[in-house]
Amino acid sequence: MSLSADTPSIRQDIIDAVADGFERQTEFLADFTRIPSTRGQEDPALDFMAKALKERHWDVDDWTVPTTALRDQPGFCDCNGEVTHIRSVVGTLDSGTGNGRSLILQGHLDVVPEGPHEMWATPPYDPQIRDGWMYGRGAGDMKAGKVAALFAVDALRRAGHAPAGRVHYHSVVEEESSGLGALSTLARGYRADCAFIPEPTGLGLVRAQVGAIWFRLKVRGRPAHVAYAGTGSSAITAAMHLINALQDMESDWNAEAANHPYYRDVAHPLNFNAGMIRGGDWTSSLPAWCDVDCRMGLLPGDDVNARRAQIVETVEKAAANHPFLRDTPPEIEWTGFMADGYALENADAPEAALARAHAAATGEAKPEDQSWTALTDTRFYGLYHGIPSLCYGPEADSIHGFDEKVNLASMQRCTEVIALFIADWCGLRQIGG
Amino acid sequence: MSLSADTPSIRQDIIDAVADGFERQTEFLADFTRIPSTRGQEDPALDFMAKALKERHWDVDDWTVPTTALRDQPGFCDCNGEVTHIRSVVGTLDSGTGNGRSLILQGHLDVVPEGPHEMWATPPYDPQIRDGWMYGRGAGDMKAGKVAALFAVDALRRAGHAPAGRVHYHSVVEEESSGLGALSTLARGYRADCAFIPEPTGLGLVRAQVGAIWFRLKVRGRPAHVAYAGTGSSAITAAMHLINALQDMESDWNAEAANHPYYRDVAHPLNFNAGMIRGGDWTSSLPAWCDVDCRMGLLPGDDVNARRAQIVETVEKAAANHPFLRDTPPEIEWTGFMADGYALENADAPEAALARAHAAATGEAKPEDQSWTALTDTRFYGLYHGIPSLCYGPEADSIHGFDEKVNLASMQRCTEVIALFIADWCGLRQIGG
């Protein structure tokens, strides 16, 4: 039997059930945040999620594929061969009735490196609560959202319901570098009528998001004793020359963005970042090598291959103008993202369901539209598989920074909204008890 | 009995004895070059030298001191606490007659890092001979010179002589970073009428050498997701701003050098080098930290503390002009050299002895005067202890670079010159046989 979620009493039951479980949910988030699931180190976090799903009697699919097996999927990038395998964990609840609409609740559990610990007020993997915020690497991006989605289904159950439509709960890796985790679930065959990714949006809806390209500049040259600086040449100052040229390119691309329908009101939507630099072996030797790991944003609608070609051209032109790089041009390695931008369009039905859930939990008519200068896994569902993909989640601050934090009240609101959304989108069926 | 070295037949005997031992000398240099004696890894090279001295019946002094025990020595620098102990090996030959003048034959056995091996034509620690040059890290700077000094004494012996005056053969570390090795031998009490350091000069005489200061810029900042570049700030681009300011300072200092008696004819004698850079943890996070290891030259006669203060002022001024560094000013660590420049003056007697030896071996009247843009350990003897200190040695190329090499014919000439110089300076006595 399918129940309607728009009965006020059912709504209130669901909201109350979220509240009843919230203390446990907060502890669960702390436990999850204690796991330092940086790139390549995600297994304990995947184990944690697989265990949580099994305890809740979800059907669990836990599998690993070689990265090369994904190469024909749209949106694939090869991470310069540095990521060889992808493991994913998907839980499924299927009523078997064929009623209701299906839903993918997706979230990544990889976190970005925490940086020097002394710059954190409290240790990054020892989550602490101050003034209603939980602090810790990954608490905001996006462990709180992942936990909200899991506990939303728990709350439905406590209120005596289960989703009528099929629900998949996806835990993926590599969201912060390539999206290969999301890609592996699509290659596995998971599809639904809608995807929902609770990234930290502050209870707003991501209407558009940028794409991104990752690349590494590899400068190599003839070092010498610094006493004879004229005979050698510095790979570090040569790399600085390339960074300057890419910053000029960044300005040009942002000037173009002033005409984009979703970004015309966003100041500087496309960010170039020289995120890591390593060069040289000795203070008194001219540096022979310098590697710079870079990220550049691009707009929804941009052709990622054309943008990549512009990056190559910028680097080649800058090298041709440089006395040292002219003879020893830099190499470019494509180290991760080769990601299209994405705009949420033609998604009236899931958007309406989200608006109803948001209104019931917050009292506001609908979530605020956002044009993101970051990216999420939504692009895979929306662009390549026609699955409208909502990105909506709790409020976080200082993600990728020190003292990253998530607002716990917003996590509770978000859990209510996801539970109400599931009830609305998938429908409900009564469970025994 | 003391013999005169200016008898042509004795000279020729010595030159012939060098030739007789040169094949073995070349093998010994290859064995020595095989030892990768980079900073902190010098023990096997010290062991190698101690063994060679013992086999030759030198009295060997092999000792280690904590760096802090040297702190009251003139020319001390503390290497930011990163070097805790200094080991040195000194061999002594003392006739006990009190005849002749005494001599310190000094050489360092530390080498600078070899950099990426793929940039070498042949492996850096597998020395090979091509066209009369031996290739390998350290072969030129300065293992060939060290070996020449040892085999010069061997050659005297083969010719039936020993130095009349006391001779010390010093093997020291840290020449490439701080000079603490040389300092430890002076603190131990070693003194002589002259010091001789066979750095690779191409059979020229170092008339003047620059000083140098090593420092590390430590930039620290608030990272954030690159999507919000405005709210964070990049430690890498902030470090680039400081490097640019230090390059401007370098230009100013070189403009001053145009009036220096020893450097007015040297183009760009003072080199600033950003030799190592490390920064950031993630491609899509604004970098929170960046360390740059720098070296800056200074002139003989410069006050090293005043030059240090100018570096601090340059960094502080540049930081004050930068939107991010203004609020989080960089730290400066003093990581090695705090070295005065040095000009060889008032050394008529040893210079005349060197000129006679050089003329006898090469046919040229005297070695060419050189104004070096690098530095050597000579400064400790000449500046702080009134010991005239000659720097003269074989011809090398690409020191601190890839495919470093030393010319073997020049090593043979240099060995002759050192043997003849010892005979002249210290006098000779006959040995049994």
Side-chain angles (χ1 to χ4, degrees):
Chain A
M1 183 176 84
S2 188
L3 297 174
S4 168
D6 47 3
T7 312
S9 70
I10 290 181
R11 282 192 190 143
Q12 194 57 49
D13 287 350
I14 292 172
I15 288 171
D16 290 346
V18 168
D20 288 345
F22 198 69
E23 192 176 327
R24 199 146 34 105
Q25 181 176 345
T26 304
E27 285 163 13
F28 186 93
L29 173 61
D31 291 341
F32 192 27
T33 304
R34 266 182 208 107
I35 304 172
S37 46
T38 49
R39 192 184 199 188
Q41 308 296 322
E42 302 97 339
D43 273 342
L46 286 160
D47 293 342
F48 180 91
M49 271 299 164
K51 179 166 173 280
L53 289 167
K54 282 174 194 158
E55 285 169 359
R56 286 161 173 78
H57 309 291
W58 295 68
D59 295 324
V60 175
D61 186 9
D62 182 345
W63 80 101
T64 300
V65 288
T67 304
T68 50
L70 305 173
R71 76 162 75 86
D72 296 329
Q73 298 290 323
F76 176 76
C77 58
D78 80 350
C79 294
N80 198 38
E82 293 164 20
V83 177
T84 57
H85 288 79
I86 299 289
R87 179 182 162 200
S88 310
V89 171
V90 171
T92 296
L93 285 183
D94 191 347
S95 69
T97 61
N99 292 334
R101 286 174 290 205
S102 59
L103 174 66
I104 289 171
L105 290 168
Q106 200 256 38
H108 67 89
L109 42 65
D110 51 318
V111 302
V112 301
E114 67 277 12
H117 285 214
E118 67 270 20
M119 296 182 81
W120 287 74
T122 50
Y125 298 112
D126 180 15
Q128 301 190 16
I129 297 171
R130 295 193 290 279
D131 300 326
W133 295 77
M134 185 183 290
Y135 289 77
R137 167 58 81 235
D141 183 9
M142 60 167 283
K143 289 180 170 175
K146 271 199 80 55
V147 170
L150 184 67
F151 278 75
V153 179
D154 289 355
L156 292 177
R157 279 176 167 160
R158 264 195 305 279
H161 309 295
R166 183 169 34 88
V167 175
H168 302 292
Y169 181 86
H170 290 206
S171 291
V172 299
V173 303
E174 276 289 315
E175 189 274 342
E176 297 285 6
S177 350
S178 63
L180 289 174
L183 211 58
S184 82
T185 65
L186 286 155
R188 186 80 161 178
Y190 287 102
R191 302 286 186 277
D193 297 319
C194 171
F196 192 115
I197 303 185
E199 291 269 12
T201 68
L203 306 182
L205 174 65
V206 177
R207 173 63 55 195
Q209 65 178 35
V210 300
I213 295 175
W214 271 21
F215 56 102
R216 180 177 299 142
L217 302 173
K218 290 186 78 151
V219 177
R220 295 291 178 272
R222 268 208 87 64
H225 194 296
V226 66
Y228 319 112
T231 68
S233 187
S234 162
I236 291 173
T237 55
M240 286 167 56
H241 175 75
L242 298 177
I243 291 172
N244 287 332
L246 288 160
Q247 286 173 329
D248 290 344
M249 182 196 77
E250 178 193 21
S251 298
D252 294 343
W253 291 18
N254 277 291
E256 293 172 35
N259 302 316
H260 192 279
Y262 292 114
Y263 287 92
R264 64 165 67 98
D265 298 325
V266 178
H268 208 272
L270 300 181
N271 290 291
F272 167 74
N273 188 49
M276 286 193 285
I277 191 167
R278 304 286 184 267
D281 300 295
W282 189 249
T283 309
S284 286
S285 300
L286 272 164
W289 62 277
C290 188
D291 291 347
V292 190
D293 283 81
C294 302
R295 178 266 196 198
M296 181 65 212
L298 50 94
L299 291 168
D302 280 354
D303 177 333
V304 70
N305 288 317
R307 286 304 198 189
R308 171 155 84 164
Q310 284 182 279
I311 291 170
V312 172
E313 191 191 6
T314 299
V315 171
E316 285 178 352
K317 257 196 187 164
N321 285 332
H322 190 268
F324 164 66
L325 294 169
R326 191 187 301 137
D327 300 319
T328 55
E331 282 179 54
I332 303 180
E333 290 178 349
W334 308 100
T335 48
F337 287 123
M338 199 60 65
D340 288 300
Y342 170 57
L344 176 68
E345 290 170 347
N346 305 317
D348 293 350
E351 281 192 49
L354 177 64
R356 285 189 292 271
H358 179 85
T362 69
E364 297 167 2
K366 65 187 205 81
E368 177 199 46
D369 270 354
Q370 299 177 348
S371 288
W372 265 34
T373 54
L375 61 163
T376 76
D377 278 340
T378 52
R379 68 188 184 281
F380 292 104
Y381 304 94
L383 282 183
Y384 313 127
H385 297 279
I387 301 172
S389 187
L390 305 177
C391 182
Y392 172 101
E395 180 184 7
D397 194 21
S398 197
I399 64 169
H400 291 220
F402 305 123
D403 300 332
E404 175 180 352
K405 61 183 176 180
V406 67
N407 182 284
L408 294 175
S410 81
M411 177 167 80
Q412 186 167 352
R413 280 307 81 66
C414 176
T415 310
E416 294 163 4
V417 170
I418 296 175
L420 293 166
F421 175 82
I422 296 169
D424 191 321
W425 182 257
C426 302
L428 294 177
R429 60 188 181 88
Q430 226 159 359
I431 51 177
Chain B
M1 187 174 83
S2 185
L3 297 174
S4 167
D6 45 7
T7 311
S9 70
I10 291 180
R11 281 191 190 144
Q12 194 56 49
D13 287 351
I14 292 171
I15 289 171
D16 290 346
V18 168
D20 288 345
F22 197 68
E23 192 177 327
R24 198 146 35 105
Q25 181 177 343
T26 304
E27 285 162 13
F28 186 93
L29 173 61
D31 290 342
F32 192 27
T33 304
R34 265 180 209 107
I35 304 172
S37 46
T38 48
R39 193 185 198 187
Q41 308 298 321
E42 302 96 340
D43 274 342
L46 288 161
D47 294 342
F48 180 89
M49 272 297 165
K51 179 166 172 280
L53 290 166
K54 282 174 193 158
E55 285 170 357
R56 287 161 172 76
H57 308 293
W58 295 68
D59 294 325
V60 175
D61 186 10
D62 181 345
W63 80 101
T64 301
V65 288
T67 304
T68 50
L70 305 173
R71 77 160 75 84
D72 296 330
Q73 298 290 323
F76 176 76
C77 59
D78 81 351
C79 295
N80 199 38
E82 293 164 20
V83 177
T84 58
H85 288 79
I86 299 290
R87 179 182 162 199
S88 310
V89 171
V90 171
T92 295
L93 285 183
D94 191 345
S95 68
T97 62
N99 292 334
R101 286 174 293 204
S102 59
L103 175 66
I104 288 171
L105 290 168
Q106 200 255 39
H108 66 89
L109 42 64
D110 51 317
V111 301
V112 302
E114 66 278 9
H117 286 213
E118 68 270 20
M119 296 183 80
W120 287 73
T122 51
Y125 298 113
D126 181 13
Q128 302 191 15
I129 298 171
R130 294 194 291 278
D131 300 326
W133 297 77
M134 185 183 289
Y135 289 78
R137 167 58 80 233
D141 183 8
M142 63 171 281
K143 289 181 172 176
K146 272 199 81 53
V147 170
L150 185 66
F151 278 74
V153 179
D154 289 354
L156 291 177
R157 278 176 169 162
R158 264 196 306 280
H161 310 295
R166 183 170 32 88
V167 175
H168 302 292
Y169 181 85
H170 290 206
S171 290
V172 300
V173 303
E174 277 288 315
E175 189 274 345
E176 297 286 6
S177 350
S178 64
L180 289 174
L183 211 60
S184 82
T185 65
L186 287 156
R188 187 79 161 180
Y190 287 102
R191 301 289 186 278
D193 296 319
C194 172
F196 191 115
I197 303 185
E199 291 267 14
T201 68
L203 308 181
L205 174 66
V206 177
R207 173 62 55 193
Q209 64 178 35
V210 300
I213 295 175
W214 270 21
F215 57 102
R216 180 177 299 142
L217 302 172
K218 292 186 78 152
V219 178
R220 296 290 179 274
R222 268 208 87 65
H225 194 295
V226 66
Y228 318 113
T231 69
S233 186
S234 163
I236 292 173
T237 55
M240 287 168 55
H241 175 76
L242 298 177
I243 290 171
N244 287 333
L246 288 161
Q247 286 173 328
D248 290 344
M249 182 194 77
E250 178 193 21
S251 299
D252 294 344
W253 291 19
N254 277 291
E256 293 173 33
N259 302 317
H260 193 279
Y262 293 113
Y263 287 93
R264 63 165 68 98
D265 297 325
V266 178
H268 208 274
L270 301 180
N271 290 291
F272 167 74
N273 188 48
M276 286 193 285
I277 192 166
R278 304 285 184 269
D281 301 296
W282 189 247
T283 309
S284 285
S285 299
L286 271 162
W289 62 277
C290 188
D291 291 348
V292 189
D293 282 80
C294 302
R295 178 265 197 198
M296 181 63 210
L298 48 94
L299 291 168
D302 280 355
D303 177 332
V304 69
N305 289 316
R307 286 304 198 189
R308 170 155 85 166
Q310 283 181 282
I311 291 169
V312 172
E313 192 192 3
T314 299
V315 170
E316 285 178 351
K317 258 195 186 165
N321 286 332
H322 189 268
F324 164 67
L325 295 169
R326 192 187 299 137
D327 300 319
T328 55
E331 281 179 54
I332 304 181
E333 291 178 346
W334 307 100
T335 48
F337 287 123
M338 198 60 66
D340 288 302
Y342 170 56
L344 176 68
E345 290 170 347
N346 304 317
D348 293 349
E351 281 192 49
L354 176 63
R356 285 189 292 271
H358 179 86
T362 68
E364 298 168 2
K366 64 189 204 83
E368 177 199 46
D369 270 355
Q370 298 178 347
S371 288
W372 264 35
T373 54
L375 61 163
T376 76
D377 278 340
T378 53
R379 67 190 184 280
F380 293 105
Y381 304 94
L383 282 182
Y384 314 127
H385 297 280
I387 301 172
S389 188
L390 306 177
C391 182
Y392 173 102
E395 181 184 5
D397 194 22
S398 198
I399 65 170
H400 291 221
F402 305 124
D403 301 331
E404 176 179 351
K405 61 182 176 180
V406 68
N407 182 283
L408 294 175
S410 82
M411 178 167 80
Q412 187 168 350
R413 281 307 80 67
C414 176
T415 310
E416 295 163 3
V417 170
I418 297 175
L420 294 166
F421 176 81
I422 296 169
D424 191 320
W425 182 259
C426 302
L428 294 177
R429 59 189 180 89
Q430 227 159 359
I431 49 176

